[in-house]
PDB file of all heavy atoms in Angstrom:
ATOM      1  N   GLU A  12     -15.525  -2.655 -13.513  1.00  0.00           N
ATOM      2  CA  GLU A  12     -15.560  -2.278 -14.902  1.00  0.00           C
ATOM      3  C   GLU A  12     -14.266  -1.761 -15.351  1.00  0.00           C
ATOM      4  O   GLU A  12     -13.847  -1.996 -16.498  1.00  0.00           O
ATOM      5  CB  GLU A  12     -16.690  -1.240 -15.223  1.00  0.00           C
ATOM      6  CG  GLU A  12     -18.069  -1.839 -14.995  1.00  0.00           C
ATOM      7  CD  GLU A  12     -19.141  -0.829 -14.861  1.00  0.00           C
ATOM      8  OE1 GLU A  12     -18.826   0.405 -15.000  1.00  0.00           O
ATOM      9  OE2 GLU A  12     -20.306  -1.222 -14.608  1.00  0.00           O
ATOM     10  N   GLY A  13     -13.554  -1.009 -14.483  1.00  0.00           N
ATOM     11  CA  GLY A  13     -12.305  -0.404 -14.903  1.00  0.00           C
ATOM     12  C   GLY A  13     -11.125  -1.216 -14.703  1.00  0.00           C
ATOM     13  O   GLY A  13     -10.019  -0.809 -15.009  1.00  0.00           O
ATOM     14  N   ARG A  14     -11.248  -2.390 -14.112  1.00  0.00           N
ATOM     15  CA  ARG A  14     -10.118  -3.283 -13.846  1.00  0.00           C
ATOM     16  C   ARG A  14      -9.045  -2.594 -12.919  1.00  0.00           C
ATOM     17  O   ARG A  14      -7.838  -2.685 -13.159  1.00  0.00           O
ATOM     18  CB  ARG A  14      -9.521  -3.801 -15.076  1.00  0.00           C
ATOM     19  CG  ARG A  14     -10.476  -4.698 -15.822  1.00  0.00           C
ATOM     20  CD  ARG A  14      -9.779  -5.311 -17.012  1.00  0.00           C
ATOM     21  NE  ARG A  14     -10.764  -6.133 -17.693  1.00  0.00           N
ATOM     22  CZ  ARG A  14     -10.439  -7.114 -18.513  1.00  0.00           C
ATOM     23  NH1 ARG A  14      -9.212  -7.391 -18.735  1.00  0.00           N
ATOM     24  NH2 ARG A  14     -11.382  -7.754 -19.137  1.00  0.00           N
ATOM     25  N   TYR A  15      -9.513  -1.800 -11.948  1.00  0.00           N
ATOM     26  CA  TYR A  15      -8.645  -1.180 -10.963  1.00  0.00           C
ATOM     27  C   TYR A  15      -8.370  -2.158  -9.776  1.00  0.00           C
ATOM     28  O   TYR A  15      -9.170  -3.009  -9.575  1.00  0.00           O
ATOM     29  CB  TYR A  15      -9.265   0.120 -10.509  1.00  0.00           C
ATOM     30  CG  TYR A  15      -9.518   1.102 -11.631  1.00  0.00           C
ATOM     31  CD1 TYR A  15     -10.876   1.302 -12.000  1.00  0.00           C
ATOM     32  CD2 TYR A  15      -8.529   1.745 -12.273  1.00  0.00           C
ATOM     33  CE1 TYR A  15     -11.085   2.209 -13.024  1.00  0.00           C
ATOM     34  CE2 TYR A  15      -8.776   2.654 -13.300  1.00  0.00           C
ATOM     35  CZ  TYR A  15     -10.106   2.873 -13.667  1.00  0.00           C
ATOM     36  OH  TYR A  15     -10.330   3.772 -14.655  1.00  0.00           O
ATOM     37  N   SER A  16      -7.323  -1.889  -9.074  1.00  0.00           N
ATOM     38  CA  SER A  16      -7.131  -2.651  -7.858  1.00  0.00           C
ATOM     39  C   SER A  16      -7.952  -2.139  -6.741  1.00  0.00           C
ATOM     40  O   SER A  16      -8.407  -2.871  -5.840  1.00  0.00           O
ATOM     41  CB  SER A  16      -5.640  -2.660  -7.455  1.00  0.00           C
ATOM     42  OG  SER A  16      -5.228  -1.311  -7.256  1.00  0.00           O
ATOM     43  N   CYS A  17      -8.195  -0.804  -6.731  1.00  0.00           N
ATOM     44  CA  CYS A  17      -9.076  -0.149  -5.812  1.00  0.00           C
ATOM     45  C   CYS A  17      -9.571   1.185  -6.370  1.00  0.00           C
ATOM     46  O   CYS A  17      -8.926   1.701  -7.237  1.00  0.00           O
ATOM     47  CB  CYS A  17      -8.467   0.095  -4.364  1.00  0.00           C
ATOM     48  SG  CYS A  17      -7.054   1.214  -4.420  1.00  0.00           S
ATOM     49  N   VAL A  18     -10.719   1.590  -5.885  1.00  0.00           N
ATOM     50  CA  VAL A  18     -11.300   2.877  -6.269  1.00  0.00           C
ATOM     51  C   VAL A  18     -11.665   3.582  -4.917  1.00  0.00           C
ATOM     52  O   VAL A  18     -12.367   3.015  -4.128  1.00  0.00           O
ATOM     53  CB  VAL A  18     -12.523   2.748  -7.254  1.00  0.00           C
ATOM     54  CG1 VAL A  18     -13.059   4.181  -7.551  1.00  0.00           C
ATOM     55  CG2 VAL A  18     -12.078   2.006  -8.508  1.00  0.00           C
ATOM     56  N   ILE A  19     -11.207   4.766  -4.815  1.00  0.00           N
ATOM     57  CA  ILE A  19     -11.411   5.507  -3.504  1.00  0.00           C
ATOM     58  C   ILE A  19     -12.231   6.782  -3.831  1.00  0.00           C
ATOM     59  O   ILE A  19     -11.765   7.657  -4.574  1.00  0.00           O
ATOM     60  CB  ILE A  19     -10.040   5.902  -2.890  1.00  0.00           C
ATOM     61  CG1 ILE A  19      -9.229   4.569  -2.702  1.00  0.00           C
ATOM     62  CG2 ILE A  19     -10.227   6.697  -1.639  1.00  0.00           C
ATOM     63  CD1 ILE A  19      -7.762   4.864  -2.378  1.00  0.00           C
ATOM     64  N   ASP A  20     -13.337   6.889  -3.149  1.00  0.00           N
ATOM     65  CA  ASP A  20     -14.077   8.080  -3.153  1.00  0.00           C
ATOM     66  C   ASP A  20     -13.597   8.985  -2.062  1.00  0.00           C
ATOM     67  O   ASP A  20     -13.968   8.781  -0.850  1.00  0.00           O
ATOM     68  CB  ASP A  20     -15.538   7.784  -3.038  1.00  0.00           C
ATOM     69  CG  ASP A  20     -16.487   9.022  -3.231  1.00  0.00           C
ATOM     70  OD1 ASP A  20     -15.939  10.118  -3.492  1.00  0.00           O
ATOM     71  OD2 ASP A  20     -17.735   8.844  -3.049  1.00  0.00           O
ATOM     72  N   SER A  21     -12.708   9.856  -2.376  1.00  0.00           N
ATOM     73  CA  SER A  21     -11.975  10.671  -1.424  1.00  0.00           C
ATOM     74  C   SER A  21     -12.493  12.025  -1.321  1.00  0.00           C
ATOM     75  O   SER A  21     -13.129  12.565  -2.375  1.00  0.00           O
ATOM     76  CB  SER A  21     -10.495  10.703  -1.896  1.00  0.00           C
ATOM     77  OG  SER A  21      -9.770  11.742  -1.332  1.00  0.00           O
ATOM     78  N   PRO A  22     -12.277  12.719  -0.188  1.00  0.00           N
ATOM     79  CA  PRO A  22     -12.617  14.154  -0.143  1.00  0.00           C
ATOM     80  C   PRO A  22     -11.945  14.940  -1.277  1.00  0.00           C
ATOM     81  O   PRO A  22     -12.321  16.037  -1.638  1.00  0.00           O
ATOM     82  CB  PRO A  22     -12.093  14.595   1.228  1.00  0.00           C
ATOM     83  CG  PRO A  22     -12.027  13.321   2.069  1.00  0.00           C
ATOM     84  CD  PRO A  22     -11.779  12.219   1.028  1.00  0.00           C
ATOM     85  N   ARG A  23     -10.846  14.455  -1.819  1.00  0.00           N
ATOM     86  CA  ARG A  23     -10.079  15.115  -2.892  1.00  0.00           C
ATOM     87  C   ARG A  23     -10.563  14.680  -4.268  1.00  0.00           C
ATOM     88  O   ARG A  23      -9.949  15.066  -5.302  1.00  0.00           O
ATOM     89  CB  ARG A  23      -8.580  14.837  -2.737  1.00  0.00           C
ATOM     90  CG  ARG A  23      -8.007  15.350  -1.371  1.00  0.00           C
ATOM     91  CD  ARG A  23      -6.508  15.396  -1.519  1.00  0.00           C
ATOM     92  NE  ARG A  23      -5.803  15.723  -0.280  1.00  0.00           N
ATOM     93  CZ  ARG A  23      -5.729  16.924   0.170  1.00  0.00           C
ATOM     94  NH1 ARG A  23      -6.235  17.993  -0.487  1.00  0.00           N
ATOM     95  NH2 ARG A  23      -4.992  17.199   1.273  1.00  0.00           N
ATOM     96  N   GLY A  24     -11.627  13.849  -4.338  1.00  0.00           N
ATOM     97  CA  GLY A  24     -12.057  13.370  -5.665  1.00  0.00           C
ATOM     98  C   GLY A  24     -11.832  11.843  -5.748  1.00  0.00           C
ATOM     99  O   GLY A  24     -11.423  11.170  -4.800  1.00  0.00           O
ATOM    100  N   ILE A  25     -12.180  11.261  -6.891  1.00  0.00           N
ATOM    101  CA  ILE A  25     -12.004   9.850  -7.119  1.00  0.00           C
ATOM    102  C   ILE A  25     -10.570   9.515  -7.417  1.00  0.00           C
ATOM    103  O   ILE A  25     -10.028  10.125  -8.285  1.00  0.00           O
ATOM    104  CB  ILE A  25     -12.979   9.352  -8.241  1.00  0.00           C
ATOM    105  CG1 ILE A  25     -14.426   9.773  -8.026  1.00  0.00           C
ATOM    106  CG2 ILE A  25     -12.875   7.794  -8.473  1.00  0.00           C
ATOM    107  CD1 ILE A  25     -15.047   9.176  -6.771  1.00  0.00           C
ATOM    108  N   ILE A  26     -10.089   8.526  -6.733  1.00  0.00           N
ATOM    109  CA  ILE A  26      -8.713   8.042  -6.934  1.00  0.00           C
ATOM    110  C   ILE A  26      -8.791   6.569  -7.435  1.00  0.00           C
ATOM    111  O   ILE A  26      -9.460   5.719  -6.808  1.00  0.00           O
ATOM    112  CB  ILE A  26      -7.899   8.143  -5.595  1.00  0.00           C
ATOM    113  CG1 ILE A  26      -7.848   9.589  -5.104  1.00  0.00           C
ATOM    114  CG2 ILE A  26      -6.500   7.581  -5.802  1.00  0.00           C
ATOM    115  CD1 ILE A  26      -7.312   9.724  -3.719  1.00  0.00           C
ATOM    116  N   TYR A  27      -8.068   6.322  -8.515  1.00  0.00           N
ATOM    117  CA  TYR A  27      -8.066   4.991  -9.033  1.00  0.00           C
ATOM    118  C   TYR A  27      -6.734   4.281  -8.818  1.00  0.00           C
ATOM    119  O   TYR A  27      -5.706   4.745  -9.246  1.00  0.00           O
ATOM    120  CB  TYR A  27      -8.204   5.051 -10.578  1.00  0.00           C
ATOM    121  CG  TYR A  27      -9.548   5.767 -10.932  1.00  0.00           C
ATOM    122  CD1 TYR A  27      -9.559   7.166 -11.152  1.00  0.00           C
ATOM    123  CD2 TYR A  27     -10.751   5.132 -11.008  1.00  0.00           C
ATOM    124  CE1 TYR A  27     -10.731   7.873 -11.492  1.00  0.00           C
ATOM    125  CE2 TYR A  27     -11.963   5.776 -11.344  1.00  0.00           C
ATOM    126  CZ  TYR A  27     -11.917   7.096 -11.558  1.00  0.00           C
ATOM    127  OH  TYR A  27     -13.067   7.845 -11.885  1.00  0.00           O
ATOM    128  N   GLY A  28      -6.784   3.195  -8.044  1.00  0.00           N
ATOM    129  CA  GLY A  28      -5.550   2.393  -7.748  1.00  0.00           C
ATOM    130  C   GLY A  28      -5.247   1.367  -8.847  1.00  0.00           C
ATOM    131  O   GLY A  28      -6.188   0.715  -9.306  1.00  0.00           O
TER     132      GLY A  28
END
Side-chain angles (χ1 to χ4, degrees):
E12 293 164 4
R14 297 187 181 200
Y15 301 107
S16 58
C17 65
V18 179
I19 303 165
D20 186 2
S21 163
R23 298 196 186 280
I25 305 298
I26 299 169
Y27 302 93

